[in-house]
Amino acid sequence: MHVYGTYLKSERTAALLYALALFLFAFFIVVVFPSIAKIKALKDYLEMLPPFLKAFIGQEAIEFTRLEGFLAVEFFNTTWLLITGVFTCLFAGSLVAEETEKKTLEILMSTPLRRVRFVAEKFAGFMTLLAFLTAASFAGIWLGALRIHENIDAALYISVFFTGFVCMSAIGSAGLFISCLVNEQRRAAGLTLLVFFALYFFNLISALLDQYPALRYLSLFHYFDASRFFTGNAVSAADLLVLAAVFVLTFTASLVSFHRKEIYV
């Protein structure tokens, strides 16, 4: 896979830096957890937070003095989501637009390379990098737990990370769709970031509107709520199905739009 390999090679340094940041943050936040868990007043403080802040850290936040609750609030629903989200928007939003802006797409399309294969290999490269970031995050938590002698349910954590990976893949496929429509790299990445943060804040707002509970189901990030997964000790198959469906729809839309895209060679 020439396109796949070339993409991985070109983005490996940036992906390594993102992965290292996530690994180190995950490791150190687990290592400092025992000190945080000793702060008994913290639970009362969290219960006194206004509703919008509770929505920000997780509508169904579990016991903060447990590692799962601590990580749901301080890592999964905030730091991990934002860092991987920014990575996804910047990288997926540039997949096609970058080639178009640099005029390299014209050269590629003048070869026997099929359009569907080009998009599929490019996005496969992105998903490989995203999987690498996800694995680095899990490794940080796992090694941190070993460091503090904390037993974790590895299967549960892997399933939560996998759901996060599918969620980010859905965002990435939306970014790919935008990248197929927009010919400027910065504009495509910027629009993808706008979509990401719009969905993120809509999720927060919908969590506050108790009189309209159905609104939360319109937010993509409702289907990746680590606090809810850890509370139930399982990932919802329905949530995974919704995220996978969004991914399939947006990726298919990307293939169709790129197939119809006018490219002057």
Side-chain angles (χ1 to χ4, degrees), residues 135-174:
S137 304
F138 173 76
I141 288 179
W142 182 66
L143 290 175
L146 287 178
R147 177 67 177 79
I148 63 173
H149 307 290
E150 179 85 15
N151 292 322
I152 64 172
D153 186 344
L156 177 59
Y157 277 82
I158 290 173
S159 63
V160 172
F161 270 119
F162 178 73
T163 306
F165 169 78
V166 176
C167 181
M168 288 299 108
S169 297
I171 294 293
S173 61

mmCIF file of all heavy atoms in Angstrom, residues 135-174:
data_model
loop_
_atom_site.group_PDB
_atom_site.id
_atom_site.type_symbol
_atom_site.label_atom_id
_atom_site.label_comp_id
_atom_site.label_asym_id
_atom_site.label_seq_id
_atom_site.Cartn_x
_atom_site.Cartn_y
_atom_site.Cartn_z
ATOM 1 N N ALA A 135 -3.638 3.078 22.113
ATOM 2 C CA ALA A 135 -2.841 2.053 22.795
ATOM 3 C C ALA A 135 -1.849 2.685 23.767
ATOM 4 O O ALA A 135 -1.625 2.168 24.872
ATOM 5 C CB ALA A 135 -2.100 1.205 21.767
ATOM 6 N N ALA A 136 -1.252 3.813 23.379
ATOM 7 C CA ALA A 136 -0.311 4.508 24.257
ATOM 8 C C ALA A 136 -1.022 5.009 25.514
ATOM 9 O O ALA A 136 -0.462 4.968 26.622
ATOM 10 C CB ALA A 136 0.339 5.678 23.517
ATOM 11 N N SER A 137 -2.250 5.458 25.364
ATOM 12 C CA SER A 137 -3.031 5.929 26.512
ATOM 13 C C SER A 137 -3.308 4.789 27.484
ATOM 14 O O SER A 137 -3.160 4.936 28.705
ATOM 15 C CB SER A 137 -4.357 6.538 26.030
ATOM 16 O OG SER A 137 -4.140 7.573 25.103
ATOM 17 N N PHE A 138 -3.715 3.640 26.934
ATOM 18 C CA PHE A 138 -3.969 2.479 27.786
ATOM 19 C C PHE A 138 -2.692 2.026 28.485
ATOM 20 O O PHE A 138 -2.710 1.670 29.667
ATOM 21 C CB PHE A 138 -4.558 1.329 26.969
ATOM 22 C CG PHE A 138 -4.681 0.048 27.742
ATOM 23 C CD1 PHE A 138 -5.692 -0.119 28.668
ATOM 24 C CD2 PHE A 138 -3.765 -0.982 27.553
ATOM 25 C CE1 PHE A 138 -5.809 -1.303 29.398
ATOM 26 C CE2 PHE A 138 -3.862 -2.163 28.273
ATOM 27 C CZ PHE A 138 -4.887 -2.316 29.200
ATOM 28 N N ALA A 139 -1.578 2.032 27.752
ATOM 29 C CA ALA A 139 -0.302 1.614 28.341
ATOM 30 C C ALA A 139 0.072 2.517 29.511
ATOM 31 O O ALA A 139 0.584 2.045 30.538
ATOM 32 C CB ALA A 139 0.800 1.634 27.281
ATOM 33 N N GLY A 140 -0.197 3.817 29.383
ATOM 34 C CA GLY A 140 0.097 4.742 30.470
ATOM 35 C C GLY A 140 -0.712 4.431 31.721
ATOM 36 O O GLY A 140 -0.182 4.434 32.835
ATOM 37 N N ILE A 141 -1.999 4.138 31.533
ATOM 38 C CA ILE A 141 -2.854 3.801 32.679
ATOM 39 C C ILE A 141 -2.428 2.465 33.289
ATOM 40 O O ILE A 141 -2.340 2.324 34.515
ATOM 41 C CB ILE A 141 -4.329 3.747 32.240
ATOM 42 C CG1 ILE A 141 -4.840 5.168 31.961
ATOM 43 C CG2 ILE A 141 -5.193 3.074 33.303
ATOM 44 C CD1 ILE A 141 -6.268 5.224 31.502
ATOM 45 N N TRP A 142 -2.162 1.488 32.451
ATOM 46 C CA TRP A 142 -1.793 0.157 32.937
ATOM 47 C C TRP A 142 -0.484 0.203 33.728
ATOM 48 O O TRP A 142 -0.389 -0.346 34.831
ATOM 49 C CB TRP A 142 -1.680 -0.794 31.754
ATOM 50 C CG TRP A 142 -1.355 -2.201 32.146
ATOM 51 C CD1 TRP A 142 -2.131 -3.070 32.862
ATOM 52 C CD2 TRP A 142 -0.145 -2.906 31.853
ATOM 53 N NE1 TRP A 142 -1.489 -4.275 33.022
ATOM 54 C CE2 TRP A 142 -0.272 -4.212 32.409
ATOM 55 C CE3 TRP A 142 1.018 -2.586 31.152
ATOM 56 C CZ2 TRP A 142 0.731 -5.164 32.297
ATOM 57 C CZ3 TRP A 142 2.011 -3.538 31.037
ATOM 58 C CH2 TRP A 142 1.868 -4.814 31.613
ATOM 59 N N LEU A 143 0.518 0.876 33.189
ATOM 60 C CA LEU A 143 1.804 0.969 33.891
ATOM 61 C C LEU A 143 1.677 1.817 35.159
ATOM 62 O O LEU A 143 2.313 1.528 36.181
ATOM 63 C CB LEU A 143 2.869 1.564 32.970
ATOM 64 C CG LEU A 143 3.325 0.658 31.823
ATOM 65 C CD1 LEU A 143 4.294 1.394 30.906
ATOM 66 C CD2 LEU A 143 3.973 -0.618 32.363
ATOM 67 N N GLY A 144 0.848 2.850 35.102
ATOM 68 C CA GLY A 144 0.609 3.657 36.294
ATOM 69 C C GLY A 144 -0.050 2.853 37.395
ATOM 70 O O GLY A 144 0.295 2.976 38.579
ATOM 71 N N ALA A 145 -1.012 2.008 36.997
ATOM 72 C CA ALA A 145 -1.683 1.151 37.975
ATOM 73 C C ALA A 145 -0.710 0.153 38.598
ATOM 74 O O ALA A 145 -0.772 -0.136 39.804
ATOM 75 C CB ALA A 145 -2.847 0.421 37.317
ATOM 76 N N LEU A 146 0.203 -0.381 37.785
ATOM 77 C CA LEU A 146 1.229 -1.267 38.325
ATOM 78 C C LEU A 146 2.120 -0.527 39.320
ATOM 79 O O LEU A 146 2.511 -1.081 40.354
ATOM 80 C CB LEU A 146 2.095 -1.835 37.187
ATOM 81 C CG LEU A 146 1.462 -2.903 36.288
ATOM 82 C CD1 LEU A 146 2.449 -3.312 35.205
ATOM 83 C CD2 LEU A 146 1.019 -4.118 37.101
ATOM 84 N N ARG A 147 2.407 0.721 39.004
ATOM 85 C CA ARG A 147 3.293 1.516 39.864
ATOM 86 C C ARG A 147 2.686 1.744 41.244
ATOM 87 O O ARG A 147 3.406 1.750 42.251
ATOM 88 C CB ARG A 147 3.581 2.866 39.179
ATOM 89 C CG ARG A 147 4.418 3.837 39.976
ATOM 90 C CD ARG A 147 5.841 3.331 40.148
ATOM 91 N NE ARG A 147 6.675 4.273 40.848
ATOM 92 C CZ ARG A 147 6.693 4.456 42.172
ATOM 93 N NH1 ARG A 147 5.888 3.718 42.936
ATOM 94 N NH2 ARG A 147 7.490 5.328 42.738
ATOM 95 N N ILE A 148 1.372 1.924 41.315
ATOM 96 C CA ILE A 148 0.734 2.191 42.610
ATOM 97 C C ILE A 148 0.091 0.924 43.185
ATOM 98 O O ILE A 148 -0.661 0.991 44.158
ATOM 99 C CB ILE A 148 -0.320 3.311 42.496
ATOM 100 C CG1 ILE A 148 -1.470 2.896 41.565
ATOM 101 C CG2 ILE A 148 0.327 4.615 42.029
ATOM 102 C CD1 ILE A 148 -2.620 3.890 41.536
ATOM 103 N N HIS A 149 0.340 -0.213 42.523
ATOM 104 C CA HIS A 149 -0.192 -1.510 42.985
ATOM 105 C C HIS A 149 -1.725 -1.503 43.030
ATOM 106 O O HIS A 149 -2.338 -1.986 43.981
ATOM 107 C CB HIS A 149 0.367 -1.859 44.369
ATOM 108 C CG HIS A 149 1.864 -1.799 44.432
ATOM 109 N ND1 HIS A 149 2.680 -2.703 43.795
ATOM 110 C CD2 HIS A 149 2.693 -0.909 45.059
ATOM 111 C CE1 HIS A 149 3.946 -2.402 44.017
ATOM 112 N NE2 HIS A 149 3.996 -1.320 44.778
ATOM 113 N N GLU A 150 -2.312 -0.950 41.989
ATOM 114 C CA GLU A 150 -3.769 -0.892 41.874
ATOM 115 C C GLU A 150 -4.223 -1.906 40.829
ATOM 116 O O GLU A 150 -3.715 -1.932 39.705
ATOM 117 C CB GLU A 150 -4.214 0.509 41.455
ATOM 118 C CG GLU A 150 -5.709 0.666 41.282
ATOM 119 C CD GLU A 150 -6.435 0.969 42.582
ATOM 120 O OE1 GLU A 150 -5.761 1.338 43.564
ATOM 121 O OE2 GLU A 150 -7.677 0.843 42.622
ATOM 122 N N ASN A 151 -5.163 -2.759 41.187
ATOM 123 C CA ASN A 151 -5.702 -3.722 40.232
ATOM 124 C C ASN A 151 -6.777 -3.057 39.381
ATOM 125 O O ASN A 151 -7.679 -2.399 39.906
ATOM 126 C CB ASN A 151 -6.300 -4.932 40.963
ATOM 127 C CG ASN A 151 -5.242 -5.766 41.652
ATOM 128 O OD1 ASN A 151 -4.143 -5.947 41.123
ATOM 129 N ND2 ASN A 151 -5.562 -6.275 42.834
ATOM 130 N N ILE A 152 -6.681 -3.213 38.081
ATOM 131 C CA ILE A 152 -7.691 -2.654 37.185
ATOM 132 C C ILE A 152 -8.290 -3.778 36.341
ATOM 133 O O ILE A 152 -7.646 -4.808 36.099
ATOM 134 C CB ILE A 152 -7.113 -1.566 36.266
ATOM 135 C CG1 ILE A 152 -6.053 -2.154 35.317
ATOM 136 C CG2 ILE A 152 -6.536 -0.413 37.078
ATOM 137 C CD1 ILE A 152 -5.580 -1.172 34.262
ATOM 138 N N ASP A 153 -9.514 -3.555 35.914
ATOM 139 C CA ASP A 153 -10.192 -4.496 35.020
ATOM 140 C C ASP A 153 -9.736 -4.172 33.597
ATOM 141 O O ASP A 153 -10.297 -3.301 32.928
ATOM 142 C CB ASP A 153 -11.702 -4.336 35.165
ATOM 143 C CG ASP A 153 -12.480 -5.372 34.370
ATOM 144 O OD1 ASP A 153 -11.885 -6.013 33.478
ATOM 145 O OD2 ASP A 153 -13.690 -5.527 34.617
ATOM 146 N N ALA A 154 -8.703 -4.855 33.140
ATOM 147 C CA ALA A 154 -8.101 -4.536 31.843
ATOM 148 C C ALA A 154 -9.118 -4.638 30.711
ATOM 149 O O ALA A 154 -9.128 -3.810 29.786
ATOM 150 C CB ALA A 154 -6.915 -5.454 31.574
ATOM 151 N N ALA A 155 -9.987 -5.651 30.777
ATOM 152 C CA ALA A 155 -10.982 -5.834 29.717
ATOM 153 C C ALA A 155 -11.935 -4.641 29.648
ATOM 154 O O ALA A 155 -12.294 -4.182 28.546
ATOM 155 C CB ALA A 155 -11.761 -7.124 29.949
ATOM 156 N N LEU A 156 -12.341 -4.129 30.800
ATOM 157 C CA LEU A 156 -13.238 -2.981 30.834
ATOM 158 C C LEU A 156 -12.545 -1.744 30.269
ATOM 159 O O LEU A 156 -13.126 -1.004 29.460
ATOM 160 C CB LEU A 156 -13.713 -2.721 32.262
ATOM 161 C CG LEU A 156 -14.604 -1.490 32.469
ATOM 162 C CD1 LEU A 156 -15.869 -1.586 31.618
ATOM 163 C CD2 LEU A 156 -14.957 -1.330 33.942
ATOM 164 N N TYR A 157 -11.311 -1.525 30.686
ATOM 165 C CA TYR A 157 -10.578 -0.360 30.191
ATOM 166 C C TYR A 157 -10.360 -0.447 28.682
ATOM 167 O O TYR A 157 -10.468 0.557 27.964
ATOM 168 C CB TYR A 157 -9.235 -0.224 30.913
ATOM 169 C CG TYR A 157 -9.332 0.483 32.242
ATOM 170 C CD1 TYR A 157 -9.729 -0.194 33.388
ATOM 171 C CD2 TYR A 157 -9.026 1.834 32.353
ATOM 172 C CE1 TYR A 157 -9.816 0.445 34.609
ATOM 173 C CE2 TYR A 157 -9.100 2.488 33.563
ATOM 174 C CZ TYR A 157 -9.501 1.790 34.696
ATOM 175 O OH TYR A 157 -9.598 2.441 35.897
ATOM 176 N N ILE A 158 -10.040 -1.638 28.198
ATOM 177 C CA ILE A 158 -9.842 -1.810 26.754
ATOM 178 C C ILE A 158 -11.133 -1.523 25.999
ATOM 179 O O ILE A 158 -11.127 -0.869 24.939
ATOM 180 C CB ILE A 158 -9.329 -3.228 26.455
ATOM 181 C CG1 ILE A 158 -7.890 -3.382 26.954
ATOM 182 C CG2 ILE A 158 -9.401 -3.525 24.957
ATOM 183 C CD1 ILE A 158 -7.352 -4.804 26.841
ATOM 184 N N SER A 159 -12.253 -1.977 26.533
ATOM 185 C CA SER A 159 -13.541 -1.735 25.870
ATOM 186 C C SER A 159 -13.898 -0.254 25.878
ATOM 187 O O SER A 159 -14.457 0.267 24.903
ATOM 188 C CB SER A 159 -14.641 -2.564 26.532
ATOM 189 O OG SER A 159 -14.833 -2.183 27.886
ATOM 190 N N VAL A 160 -13.562 0.450 26.956
ATOM 191 C CA VAL A 160 -13.813 1.894 27.007
ATOM 192 C C VAL A 160 -12.937 2.611 25.987
ATOM 193 O O VAL A 160 -13.398 3.493 25.246
ATOM 194 C CB VAL A 160 -13.561 2.444 28.423
ATOM 195 C CG1 VAL A 160 -13.628 3.976 28.431
ATOM 196 C CG2 VAL A 160 -14.582 1.881 29.409
ATOM 197 N N PHE A 161 -11.668 2.240 25.935
ATOM 198 C CA PHE A 161 -10.774 2.848 24.958
ATOM 199 C C PHE A 161 -11.211 2.520 23.531
ATOM 200 O O PHE A 161 -11.113 3.364 22.633
ATOM 201 C CB PHE A 161 -9.332 2.373 25.181
ATOM 202 C CG PHE A 161 -8.557 3.241 26.128
ATOM 203 C CD1 PHE A 161 -8.052 2.708 27.307
ATOM 204 C CD2 PHE A 161 -8.324 4.578 25.843
ATOM 205 C CE1 PHE A 161 -7.320 3.499 28.183
ATOM 206 C CE2 PHE A 161 -7.599 5.376 26.713
ATOM 207 C CZ PHE A 161 -7.098 4.840 27.888
ATOM 208 N N PHE A 162 -11.682 1.301 23.317
ATOM 209 C CA PHE A 162 -12.145 0.932 21.976
ATOM 210 C C PHE A 162 -13.346 1.780 21.568
ATOM 211 O O PHE A 162 -13.446 2.228 20.413
ATOM 212 C CB PHE A 162 -12.516 -0.548 21.937
ATOM 213 C CG PHE A 162 -13.051 -0.992 20.598
ATOM 214 C CD1 PHE A 162 -12.206 -1.140 19.513
ATOM 215 C CD2 PHE A 162 -14.410 -1.248 20.434
ATOM 216 C CE1 PHE A 162 -12.698 -1.536 18.282
ATOM 217 C CE2 PHE A 162 -14.906 -1.638 19.199
ATOM 218 C CZ PHE A 162 -14.053 -1.786 18.124
ATOM 219 N N THR A 163 -14.262 2.019 22.511
ATOM 220 C CA THR A 163 -15.408 2.874 22.216
ATOM 221 C C THR A 163 -14.945 4.291 21.896
ATOM 222 O O THR A 163 -15.467 4.934 20.980
ATOM 223 C CB THR A 163 -16.380 2.898 23.414
ATOM 224 O OG1 THR A 163 -16.732 1.567 23.768
ATOM 225 C CG2 THR A 163 -17.648 3.671 23.077
ATOM 226 N N GLY A 164 -13.962 4.781 22.644
ATOM 227 C CA GLY A 164 -13.403 6.089 22.346
ATOM 228 C C GLY A 164 -12.758 6.128 20.975
ATOM 229 O O GLY A 164 -12.876 7.114 20.243
ATOM 230 N N PHE A 165 -12.079 5.040 20.605
ATOM 231 C CA PHE A 165 -11.466 4.937 19.283
ATOM 232 C C PHE A 165 -12.528 4.999 18.185
ATOM 233 O O PHE A 165 -12.358 5.702 17.179
ATOM 234 C CB PHE A 165 -10.670 3.638 19.184
ATOM 235 C CG PHE A 165 -10.207 3.302 17.796
ATOM 236 C CD1 PHE A 165 -9.114 3.948 17.247
ATOM 237 C CD2 PHE A 165 -10.865 2.332 17.049
ATOM 238 C CE1 PHE A 165 -8.677 3.643 15.968
ATOM 239 C CE2 PHE A 165 -10.433 2.022 15.764
ATOM 240 C CZ PHE A 165 -9.346 2.675 15.220
ATOM 241 N N VAL A 166 -13.626 4.284 18.367
ATOM 242 C CA VAL A 166 -14.709 4.314 17.381
ATOM 243 C C VAL A 166 -15.327 5.708 17.304
ATOM 244 O O VAL A 166 -15.645 6.210 16.217
ATOM 245 C CB VAL A 166 -15.780 3.258 17.718
ATOM 246 C CG1 VAL A 166 -16.953 3.350 16.743
ATOM 247 C CG2 VAL A 166 -15.186 1.859 17.685
ATOM 248 N N CYS A 167 -15.483 6.364 18.461
ATOM 249 C CA CYS A 167 -16.032 7.720 18.496
ATOM 250 C C CYS A 167 -15.133 8.683 17.720
ATOM 251 O O CYS A 167 -15.605 9.478 16.901
ATOM 252 C CB CYS A 167 -16.178 8.178 19.943
ATOM 253 S SG CYS A 167 -16.871 9.839 20.136
ATOM 254 N N MET A 168 -13.826 8.618 17.968
ATOM 255 C CA MET A 168 -12.896 9.484 17.259
ATOM 256 C C MET A 168 -12.819 9.132 15.773
ATOM 257 O O MET A 168 -12.606 10.012 14.927
ATOM 258 C CB MET A 168 -11.511 9.391 17.891
ATOM 259 C CG MET A 168 -11.390 10.059 19.247
ATOM 260 S SD MET A 168 -11.732 11.841 19.178
ATOM 261 C CE MET A 168 -13.328 11.879 20.007
ATOM 262 N N SER A 169 -13.008 7.857 15.441
ATOM 263 C CA SER A 169 -13.033 7.458 14.034
ATOM 264 C C SER A 169 -14.233 8.076 13.323
ATOM 265 O O SER A 169 -14.135 8.462 12.146
ATOM 266 C CB SER A 169 -13.075 5.931 13.914
ATOM 267 O OG SER A 169 -11.913 5.350 14.450
ATOM 268 N N ALA A 170 -15.359 8.149 14.028
ATOM 269 C CA ALA A 170 -16.549 8.782 13.451
ATOM 270 C C ALA A 170 -16.300 10.271 13.213
ATOM 271 O O ALA A 170 -16.675 10.819 12.167
ATOM 272 C CB ALA A 170 -17.748 8.576 14.371
ATOM 273 N N ILE A 171 -15.659 10.933 14.185
ATOM 274 C CA ILE A 171 -15.298 12.338 13.997
ATOM 275 C C ILE A 171 -14.314 12.469 12.840
ATOM 276 O O ILE A 171 -14.398 13.388 12.010
ATOM 277 C CB ILE A 171 -14.681 12.914 15.285
ATOM 278 C CG1 ILE A 171 -15.712 12.954 16.408
ATOM 279 C CG2 ILE A 171 -14.119 14.314 15.043
ATOM 280 C CD1 ILE A 171 -16.843 13.927 16.181
ATOM 281 N N GLY A 172 -13.360 11.534 12.781
ATOM 282 C CA GLY A 172 -12.379 11.559 11.712
ATOM 283 C C GLY A 172 -13.004 11.378 10.338
ATOM 284 O O GLY A 172 -12.588 12.026 9.370
ATOM 285 N N SER A 173 -13.977 10.505 10.233
ATOM 286 C CA SER A 173 -14.627 10.304 8.933
ATOM 287 C C SER A 173 -15.428 11.539 8.528
ATOM 288 O O SER A 173 -15.531 11.851 7.337
ATOM 289 C CB SER A 173 -15.531 9.064 8.976
ATOM 290 O OG SER A 173 -16.553 9.194 9.944
ATOM 291 N N ALA A 174 -15.970 12.257 9.517
ATOM 292 C CA ALA A 174 -16.628 13.529 9.221
ATOM 293 C C ALA A 174 -15.595 14.543 8.724
ATOM 294 O O ALA A 174 -15.852 15.321 7.793
ATOM 295 C CB ALA A 174 -17.343 14.060 10.455
#
